[in-house]
Amino acid sequence: MNHTNFKPVFGMLAAAVLSACTLMPKYEQPAVAVADTFKYDTAEPGIQAASLGWQDYFADPRLHSLIEIALERNTDLRQAVLNAEIYRKQYMIARNDLLPSITGTGSGSRSRTAADLSGTGNARVGEAYSVGLGVAAYELDLFGRVRSNSEAALQGYFSSAANRDAAHLTLVASVAKAYFNERYAEEAMALAQRVLKTREATYDLSKLRHKAGVISAIDLRQQEALIESAKADYENAVQSREQARNALATLINRPLPEDLPQGLPLGRQFKISRLPAGLSSEVLLNRPDVRAAEFALKQANANIGAARAAFFPSINLIGSLGTASTDFGNLFEGPNRTWSFGPSVSVPIFNWGTNKANLDVAKLRKEAQIAAYEGAVQSAFQDVSNALTAREQLDKRYNALTKQSRAYSDALRLVNLRYKHGVSSALDLLDAERSSYGADTQVLAAQLTRLENLADLYKALGGGLKRFSNDVQ
């Protein structure tokens, strides 16, 4: 077999696999001035939020079911997942530009030429057959333009995937907080009903004392006002419960199922209540919004390489290799080999100003992404610091309010006994009831705020991407 005819094609393929240089700037991670550790990180070192599955963190099986449904059906998360998939496909397209696009061709034809047109005066039948491989307009990436575009597409995909993870974390925390508000409203309803029954019982006793002339009509009317106040509080709690359920229905993108498991009370919502924050560098690794910002910065860095490469010539290769014959039986014989090779060079001449402006834009976009990255890091540390500070103060406030509630409850019990025996006045009883109910309401509200804070801290530390501790979503 004669290999001479293959030399141009071999040269084309060799050029295609030449290692091309790249004009991308060397990436350097921006230095952001943040503390190494967090103030109020009082939890003992242990498992990190990012490695703790949400079913290992939240205890309520009813909440587990709602999160499962939301992760499957939520529209915002589905959109983020689809956007990440779009970027992945775009990267695959850009990556394929690094390799020649080789197509196979084959053709066969038979035709009859009339006698008057044959030149010999005799009619004849002609045949032609050909097969081959062809490369169409493959850019020889000597200056790294295609590689830079491919790298930019890859970093764009990474950034969109990190945004998808951020949407995942936000959804888990949002479902948990909406569910906590539903449970809070239900417990507020129960509290209002208990207070209403107590006030109605006191009112019945007061009516007897009023008939006996022991208390005045003013005292009686004040107790009636407290009864109506409890009814109003109950209806307000019902409204809050329905609004929380509406929020949950929106998050799971369907009406609340009827067969959800029984929920747990507010005080038993978490399996772990003292998550450690750890070092600041760990937050950088675990926060998807910080990762998304850095990938966007790397994408802008790669775009500079593509903009720089536009100043240099681009070389495109076009060629084919095959066989052709008028006899199908001789189609693959050596003398019937065919080839073609046609490189083309495009040199920028009068578009220097446009290329310079494009490069300046690419550099400015990188500077903007540096600022965005620094902002994302600072925002991440602010989120964690605020959540840790709130956790510390909320725990102290909740403990103080709990003690206050117990004191007021005990005072109400004593005043109620004194009132029944005619020692305390109706005014004393009214004040004791208002104080006790107000303290119980404050405890319930503080409990909700603590739960929301623990959900926010879990999200701020990068928790929620894993379903179980050993099962990555």
Side-chain angles (χ1 to χ4, degrees):
M1 180 179 295
N2 185 1
H3 294 282
T4 303
N5 295 334
F6 288 96
K7 290 182 179 180
V9 178
F10 285 155
M12 178 181 66
L13 295 178
V17 298
L18 286 175
S19 58
C21 67
T22 178
L23 300 178
M24 282 187 294
K26 181 181 178 181
Y27 174 74
E28 296 181 0
Q29 187 182 54
V32 185
V34 291
D36 293 333
T37 58
F38 294 98
K39 190 177 180 180
Y40 295 111
D41 185 18
T42 56
E44 293 294 329
I47 189 168
Q48 296 295 308
S51 60
L52 183 66
W54 54 261
Q55 283 198 350
D56 298 321
Y57 185 62
F58 300 109
D60 197 321
R62 188 178 181 90
L63 175 57
H64 292 175
S65 297
L66 291 170
I67 293 176
E68 289 272 11
I69 299 172
L71 292 176
E72 179 182 353
R73 297 181 55 88
N74 181 262
T75 54
D76 291 338
L77 181 59
R78 282 163 51 199
Q79 183 177 356
V81 170
L82 291 172
N83 285 338
E85 185 64 15
I86 290 172
Y87 274 95
R88 189 177 74 87
K89 296 299 183 182
Q90 290 175 338
Y91 163 64
M92 293 175 64
I93 294 172
R95 183 186 61 182
N96 289 336
D97 289 339
L98 293 169
L99 301 174
S101 177
I102 301 176
T103 58
T105 60
S107 65
S109 65
R110 298 188 67 192
S111 61
R112 183 180 186 278
T113 304
D116 290 346
L117 301 177
S118 66
T120 61
N122 296 319
R124 63 182 180 84
V125 175
E127 299 180 356
Y129 303 95
S130 67
V131 294
L133 298 174
V135 176
Y138 169 64
E139 181 176 349
L140 191 60
D141 196 29
L142 294 178
F143 302 101
R145 187 190 69 84
V146 178
R147 294 176 64 186
S148 295
N149 286 334
S150 177
E151 179 65 18
L154 176 62
Q155 298 303 327
Y157 163 62
F158 288 157
S159 181
S160 66
N163 286 327
R164 174 202 63 202
D165 292 345
H168 185 128
L169 265 62
T170 299
L171 178 60
V172 170
S174 297
V175 172
K177 292 168 72 173
Y179 178 70
F180 296 156
N181 275 271
E182 181 197 26
R183 300 300 298 162
Y184 162 77
E186 290 178 344
E187 295 203 15
M189 290 166 56
L191 175 61
Q193 285 181 321
R194 291 195 303 269
V195 170
L196 177 60
K197 290 180 179 179
T198 300
R199 289 178 177 178
E200 286 177 339
T202 303
Y203 179 69
D204 291 337
L205 176 61
S206 297
K207 285 193 297 184
L208 296 175
R209 294 170 65 84
H210 173 63
K211 288 180 180 180
V214 178
I215 64 173
S216 67
I218 295 177
D219 295 332
L220 200 62
R221 295 296 175 265
Q222 287 178 333
Q223 291 190 14
E224 290 174 355
L226 287 181
I227 289 174
E228 297 305 318
S229 175
K231 290 180 181 179
D233 288 344
Y234 176 81
E235 297 303 328
N236 185 60
V238 171
Q239 177 184 345
S240 298
R241 182 193 63 181
E242 295 307 310
Q243 290 175 339
R245 288 180 174 177
N246 291 338
L248 284 171
T250 300
L251 289 169
I252 68 175
N253 194 27
R254 58 162 294 182
L256 292 182
E258 299 291 339
D259 58 347
L260 289 173
Q262 185 68 28
L264 298 177
L266 282 177
R268 296 172 53 195
Q269 289 297 317
F270 289 95
K271 297 180 180 179
I272 299 173
S273 60
R274 302 296 292 181
L275 277 177
L279 299 177
S280 59
S281 58
E282 294 170 340
V283 175
L284 288 178
L285 294 174
N286 297 334
R287 290 269 300 212
D289 56 340
V290 175
R291 297 202 310 270
E294 184 170 14
F295 289 135
L297 174 56
K298 291 180 178 180
Q299 182 181 24
N301 191 68
N303 286 331
I304 293 178
R308 286 176 173 175
F311 288 92
F312 296 89
S314 61
I315 303 174
N316 288 284
L317 305 180
I318 301 175
S320 65
L321 171 67
T323 63
S325 175
T326 58
D327 185 355
F328 186 78
N330 296 328
L331 181 61
F332 298 100
E333 296 297 326
N336 295 320
R337 305 295 184 194
T338 63
W339 58 265
S340 66
F341 179 58
S344 64
V345 179
S346 176
V347 181
I349 298 178
F350 296 108
N351 56 351
W352 176 272
T354 300
N355 290 339
K356 179 65 168 59
N358 287 333
L359 179 58
D360 291 341
V361 168
K363 291 180 178 179
L364 289 172
R365 285 176 174 166
K366 179 181 178 181
E367 293 300 317
Q369 288 300 331
I370 290 176
Y373 172 77
E374 293 174 351
V377 172
Q378 294 288 1
S379 178
F381 283 99
Q382 181 181 358
D383 288 346
V384 176
S385 298
N386 287 345
L388 289 172
T389 302
R391 181 180 70 179
E392 193 71 16
Q393 306 310 319
L394 285 171
D395 285 348
K396 294 178 180 179
R397 182 172 183 269
Y398 176 74
N399 292 333
L401 289 174
T402 300
K403 293 178 181 179
Q404 174 186 270
S405 175
R406 291 171 182 168
Y408 276 128
S409 178
D410 191 50
L412 174 60
R413 181 182 61 82
L414 295 175
V415 171
N416 197 36
L417 288 174
R418 292 167 61 86
Y419 178 74
K420 289 179 180 179
H421 291 84
V423 178
S424 293
S425 67
L427 182 59
D428 293 335
L429 180 61
L430 292 175
D431 287 341
E433 285 184 342
R434 278 194 294 261
S435 298
S436 179
Y437 181 42
D440 289 342
T441 303
Q442 285 184 309
V443 169
L444 197 58
Q447 193 172 23
L448 172 62
T449 305
R450 289 177 72 236
L451 296 179
E452 291 181 327
N453 167 254
L454 291 176
D456 286 336
L457 180 60
Y458 184 57
K459 171 193 168 187
L461 294 175
L465 285 177
K466 294 184 178 181
R467 178 183 175 190
F468 301 102
S469 56
N470 296 318
D471 181 15
V472 179
Q473 283 283 356

